[in-house]
Amino acid sequence: MGKEKKTESYNNDSGSYNYKMFKCFNRKFKINEVTPTDDVRDAFCQFAVGGGGGGGGGTDGDSSDGDGSSGVMGAEQLCSFLDDHQGESGTTVAEAQRLIDEVIRRRHHVTRFTRHGLDLDDFFNFLFYEDLNPPITPHVHQDMTAPLSHYFIYTGHNSYLTGNQLSSDCSEVPVIKALQRGVRVIELDLWPNSTGTDINVLHGRTLTTPVPLIKCLKSIRDYAFSSSPYPVIITLEDHLTPDLQAKVAEMATQIFGQMLYYPESDSLVEFPSPASLLHRIIISTKPPKEYLESRNPIVKQKDNNVSPSSEEETPRTEEIQTLESMLFDQDFESKSDSDQEDEEASEDQKPAYKRLITIHAGKPKGTVKEEMKVVVDKVRRLSLSEQELDRTCSSNSQDVVRFTQRNLLRIYPKGTRFNSSNYKPLIGWTHGAQMIAFNMQGYGKSLWLMHGMFRANGGCGYVKKPNFLMKKGFHDEVFDPRKKLPVKETLKVKVYMGDGWRMDFSHTHFDAYSPPDFYTKMFIVGVPADNAKKKTKIIEDNWYPIWDEEFSFPLTVPELALLRIEVREYDMSEKDDFGGQTCLPVAELRPGIRSVPLYDKKGEKMKSVRLLMRFIFE
């Protein structure tokens, strides 16, 4: 883009930008004033009083004084607008007045004490304030009293890694960042340190540098509820001796104190609810006995479904026998019967670790179909790789749905995703899988979808599964994800305009010689029948693009659909530049004209960039 030759300046007096090309030619571009669109103007005129506005929530009023744009919208009129036009029927006049006061406070420092209503520009700015007019409900609004298995849960994978899966540093910092974002499931891989006397967290059999377990546990204690009061689940990949397991139990008990929840019985008949576990931390891993059996070379299974010592595959586990496993085999074979009895006795004497495990976990020991048989008097967590999920859903999709009605299903990335990339989460959600474990330290379209799903329900990290995933028919039949369904509703999306890039980017960031050429792409991501893609026209040389285009998306399963939005800047000679993105759960969209904030590639909210859009369901 020739940025080494660029210079630019802003001429405030004339309201223009000057771009200099090759230090010789000067190009001047006028800054267009951002003005309300026709739909915004019409909405204001419909509800405002004075200046010819109707003021009666849809009446024509007296139009003799003009088109209504010079009117004023007071608290009652704003309340009518929010009720009739935005679908916010619960808004009171007092709440509407608080909104008016806040808009006036932000825009009119000098005259704020004499103003009691909104003029057209105030109303336009109100619609553009994303904190006052957000696209989705900003607080928890779903029933939180159902068992944990009734919710999609915001889940991290190898939560301690700062980068790739093979050589990056392990740290408590990614754990803190995940919790601050609202992630509710933190995964820690536990290994003995070099002396065998303490516990480290690291990705085993790789070049990742370890972090002490105690640092991670203290970070979880300090940040667990910084963004959500609902329970944090720690999933442990346990590679420890019984003595070190006992040390983990001691650490967890001392560090978490009353925050740590564990049941009185060995196993749960039904999972507790998020509401019953407010500000509590729970642990999920394999019980020690099952873990030791899976390490015992005598009882290893001979079929292709053999379970490794941990729930997940580590790099090259199928190609080589690791040093750790060879050492264990030699140690096991050299033990006398009395040695093994001593170890079993030691395990009986140290029950604390097993007692702290609330959610018992495991991988399939036989076929996945057999493992997914629902047990009446016990619930548990099962882990599958993304490939195993694909195969199982292709052959036994309804068994997966039935299993996830009472039990937890965790899906983790395949072992070859060394760069910490992620997979498509919709297949898991469509089958009711609660824990889609993602690498949160990267970025990409799949991670954007994960961010979008868990913006639902106030961003608390728990999203209630649709009712159809929890229902059973008279003959025990359940939802069939492969069945094609009729269109249930149509989402109409209108993209009015965008703003904020001039504040967040240098004026030559997108193009060295002219203002940017923005366009917006929209995607519906859901069940295969609902997937769709739309694109606006390109608005050339304008920091304030006005598209004013509407698109329709017919939806068969709107409960699982996500609306992904991405703004790009057209480049004739190179790849189009990134201008921001967001992803929103369709079921959470608020009807009417809404401000939609955009995020960068890593999912961090941009300071100023936002779109003005309208959502209508038919």
Side-chain angles (χ1 to χ4, degrees), residues 36-56 67-74 77-78 81 85 117-124 127 593:
T37 64
D38 290 342
D39 284 356
V40 172
R41 189 181 298 272
D42 291 345
F44 180 80
C45 294
Q46 181 181 354
F47 292 93
V49 294
D67 62 0
S69 60
S70 60
V72 175
M73 184 178 287
Q77 291 77 43
L78 179 59
F81 166 76
H85 196 279
L118 305 178
D119 61 21
L120 176 58
D121 285 338
D122 293 332
F123 177 69
F124 177 49
L127 293 176
I593 302 172

Side-chain angles (χ1 to χ4, degrees), residues 46-322:
Q46 181 181 354
F47 292 93
V49 294
T59 61
D60 292 335
D62 181 4
S63 60
S64 60
D65 293 330
D67 62 0
S69 60
S70 60
V72 175
M73 184 178 287
E76 290 187 3
Q77 291 77 43
L78 179 59
C79 197
S80 296
F81 166 76
L82 295 175
D83 187 357
D84 297 349
H85 196 279
Q86 305 285 88
E88 300 178 38
S89 57
T91 306
T92 66
V93 173
E95 290 170 338
Q97 186 61 56
R98 282 195 290 270
L99 291 173
I100 291 173
D101 293 343
E102 179 60 23
V103 173
I104 292 174
R105 185 191 67 80
R106 297 183 189 185
R107 287 180 45 79
H108 305 283
H109 298 292
V110 178
T111 61
R112 64 182 183 272
F113 298 112
T114 60
R115 289 175 175 265
H116 303 288
L118 305 178
D119 61 21
L120 176 58
D121 285 338
D122 293 332
F123 177 69
F124 177 49
N125 277 270
F126 158 70
L127 293 176
F128 241 136
Y129 289 140
E130 59 92 6
D131 59 327
L132 303 182
N133 186 37
I136 60 176
T137 304
H139 53 78
V140 176
H141 59 91
Q142 296 176 353
D143 174 24
M144 302 300 287
T145 62
L148 291 174
S149 57
H150 290 225
Y151 300 84
F152 298 126
I153 309 174
Y154 206 175
T155 303
H157 173 256
N158 289 350
S159 305
Y160 49 86
L161 286 179
T162 58
N164 68 66
Q165 302 287 308
L166 296 179
S167 60
S168 65
D169 293 335
C170 302
S171 170
E172 74 279 11
V173 174
V175 173
I176 294 172
K177 288 182 178 179
L179 292 169
Q180 290 174 330
R181 189 182 285 277
V183 173
R184 296 292 85 189
V185 182
I186 298 295
E187 181 187 25
L188 302 177
D189 285 308
L190 308 185
W191 294 82
N193 68 354
S194 57
T195 62
T197 58
D198 209 346
I199 305 105
N200 281 334
V201 174
L202 75 154
H203 195 199
R205 310 181 187 100
T206 68
L207 300 178
T208 56
T209 57
V211 59
L213 171 64
I214 192 167
K215 276 191 174 183
C216 294
L217 295 184
K218 286 182 177 179
S219 296
I220 293 172
R221 176 196 64 193
D222 295 341
Y223 292 91
F225 308 108
S226 58
S227 63
S228 170
Y230 291 98
V232 167
I233 302 170
I234 304 175
T235 60
L236 301 178
E237 287 284 329
D238 177 358
H239 305 267
L240 303 175
T241 62
D243 286 342
L244 290 181
Q245 288 176 345
K247 190 167 186 176
V248 171
E250 183 180 0
M251 278 187 192
T253 303
Q254 290 180 354
I255 292 172
F256 296 138
Q258 294 299 313
M259 299 168 70
L260 188 62
Y261 169 86
Y262 48 91
E264 295 181 1
S265 59
D266 288 341
S267 60
L268 295 171
V269 177
E270 183 178 67
F271 289 119
S273 71
S276 69
L277 295 171
L278 289 175
H279 297 101
R280 304 300 291 272
I281 293 172
I282 57 182
I283 292 175
S284 175
T285 188
K286 285 184 177 182
K289 183 179 179 182
E290 180 180 344
Y291 170 74
L292 290 172
E293 285 177 352
S294 71
R295 300 267 309 240
N296 186 334
I298 295 177
V299 298
K300 282 183 178 178
Q301 298 186 34
K302 297 181 180 180
D303 60 23
N304 293 330
N305 293 308
V306 61
S307 173
S309 61
S310 63
E311 291 181 50
E312 299 182 21
E313 298 173 359
T314 50
R316 295 178 60 87
T317 50
E318 295 181 354
E319 289 96 5
I320 63 172
Q321 184 180 30
T322 65

